[in-house]
Amino acid sequence: MEKKPKKKKFEVHENESLSDCLKRMDDEGYMPVRRREEPVFREGKGSKQPQLCGQKIVFEGKLK
């Protein structure tokens, strides 16, 4: 039997709700212990200044 890692990160996909991601974690046998929201930047066309274009939500899961 393949051994699962004790901790694993789950990113909420673009067309996925938070509850869908949490269900996916539960299906794999993990429970959420931390939620991180990371900003996503891109370079503007006219300037070299980064512009905020969204955020990425990542859950850290621990084996049940």
Side-chain angles (χ1 to χ4, degrees):
M1 183 174 167
E2 191 176 316
K3 188 175 179 180
K4 290 184 178 181
K6 290 184 181 181
K7 290 184 179 180
K8 185 176 176 182
K9 292 185 180 180
F10 293 85
E11 184 176 336
V12 179
H13 300 296
E14 191 173 319
N15 295 323
E16 181 181 41
S17 69
L18 292 176
S19 59
D20 290 340
C21 182
L22 293 173
K23 183 177 179 343
R24 184 166 40 100
M25 288 177 72
D26 189 46
D27 291 345
E28 290 188 33
Y30 290 88
M31 60 184 250
V33 292
R34 178 176 296 149
R35 172 184 164 161
R36 292 181 45 197
E37 295 183 21
E38 302 171 356
V40 177
F41 293 98
R42 65 183 166 139
E43 201 172 280
K45 292 184 187 254
S47 66
K48 296 289 183 187
Q49 295 292 338
Q51 295 177 340
L52 183 64
C53 68
Q55 72 179 10
K56 177 171 67 169
I57 299 174
V58 179
F59 286 101
E60 185 177 308
K62 185 172 87 171
L63 268 179
K64 293 182 182 178

